[in-house]
Amino acid sequence: QVQLVESGGGLVQAGGSLRLSCAASGRTFSRYSMGWFRQAPGKEREFVTGISWSGGRTDYADSVKGRFTISRDNAKNTVYLQMNSLKPEDTAVYYCAASITTGVTGTVRAYAYWGQGTQVTVSS
């Protein structure tokens, strides 16, 4: 089992940057693909980005390509989301999640473990 705790959210002006972290418990973190999702009020949870267990493969939603970067440090049991050039439409609760799938998937139901979420608010 994996427990996930996100941090790093906050309020930032449009064009600014934030770095989210997701710390995982357990010795098997490196076996999981990891993903970041977000959910804005009144909207469904959507895939933002994901990374394979080794870090060798990543995938991004079109809306964040070129602005967001996912990375992981298996020695520290942590996955990161660097968010640059933030826009007001990036405002949401951001969740990290762990999946046992070998590749990278954007399907919510493929992720068995979820963090509690961290709020990101981008002002215009």
Side-chain angles (χ1 to χ4, degrees):
Q1 191 163 352
V2 178
Q3 293 184 328
L4 305 172
V5 179
E6 303 96 336
S7 62
L11 174 64
V12 64
Q13 289 187 334
S17 298
L18 281 175
R19 188 194 196 202
L20 305 184
S21 298
C22 174
S25 65
R27 295 175 292 176
T28 59
F29 173 74
S30 62
R31 297 181 184 179
Y32 292 88
S33 296
M34 299 297 295
W36 285 97
F37 291 76
R38 66 187 181 187
Q39 189 166 18
K43 296 187 177 181
E44 293 187 353
R45 191 166 298 189
E46 64 174 358
F47 173 75
V48 176
T49 179
I51 188 167
S52 61
W53 67 270
S54 67
R57 181 178 173 183
T58 58
D59 193 19
Y60 294 89
D62 288 343
S63 58
V64 306
K65 282 181 180 176
R67 300 188 298 121
F68 290 11
T69 303
I70 189 172
S71 61
R72 68 188 295 164
D73 186 337
N74 286 343
K76 295 183 178 180
N77 280 12
T78 303
V79 62
Y80 304 97
L81 179 61
Q82 178 66 43
M83 304 186 295
N84 298 329
S85 302
L86 283 161
K87 304 175 181 180
E89 51 264 43
D90 294 318
T91 295
V93 177
Y94 283 71
Y95 299 90
C96 73
S99 171
I100 201 65
T101 56
T102 56
V104 179
T105 176
T107 304
V108 171
R109 63 178 180 270
Y111 290 81
Y113 304 104
W114 293 81
Q116 82 289 348
T118 186
Q119 177 70 47
V120 171
T121 303
V122 184
S123 63
S124 57

